[in-house]
Amino acid sequence: MDQRRVAGVGNIYANEALFRAGIDPSRRADRLTRRDYEALFGAIRSVLGDAVAARGTTVRDYRTGTGQRGSFQAGLAVYGRGGEPCVRCGTTLTTTHAIDGRATTWCWRCQHARSGRQT
Ligand SMILES: [Zn+2]
């Protein structure tokens, strides 16, 4: 199995799960509350469930924009959408490589306002 491909796919799902859970991706994992973890695990399950239902994400096609596209990328809310409007609030999505060296795209409004405030 191609580890880079797997890591890349994992990164997509991580981006999507953090968005669905409303968690700021720059937060340290050890600072997350139990409620954050529960939201995140629920989000990961829902993202993976959607991906399976859509028969996976055709990463290569998605990145190049050529060939036949798979179906899950049509449901991506943040990954690969830096600079585009957030599907939830319309704020321009931000892409950073500062967190773990890979592309992380997120909405500062949806994934920041809830951090640490909602208990
Ligand atoms: Zn948003």
Side-chain angles (χ1 to χ4, degrees):
M1 212 178 236
D2 183 344
Q3 292 299 315
R4 286 168 60 192
R5 181 180 172 87
V6 172
V9 170
N11 192 35
I12 292 173
Y13 297 144
N15 279 214
E16 294 300 312
L18 285 164
F19 176 78
R20 291 191 188 192
I23 295 173
D24 178 347
S26 66
R27 289 179 72 197
R28 290 165 51 104
D30 60 7
R31 303 292 282 274
L32 293 175
T33 64
R34 181 183 178 84
R35 180 171 292 240
D36 288 332
Y37 273 116
E38 288 171 357
L40 188 54
F41 288 138
I44 289 169
R45 272 199 299 273
S46 77
V47 167
L48 293 179
D50 288 354
V52 169
R55 299 184 185 178
T57 307
T58 309
V59 179
R60 191 166 301 164
D61 287 353
Y62 179 67
R63 283 183 176 163
T64 62
T66 61
Q68 193 167 24
R69 295 188 171 201
S71 52
F72 184 65
Q73 56 268 35
L76 296 175
V78 289
Y79 187 86
R81 297 193 64 243
E84 295 179 33
C86 171
V87 297
R88 193 178 289 163
C89 74
T91 296
T92 300
L93 298 174
T94 302
T95 297
T96 179
H97 290 80
I99 296 171
D100 63 358
R102 296 182 296 183
T104 299
T105 302
W106 60 298
C107 172
W108 63 266
R109 183 172 286 169
C110 291
Q111 295 174 250
H112 217 70
R114 290 171 63 181
S115 298
R117 291 190 186 178
Q118 220 177 46
T119 51

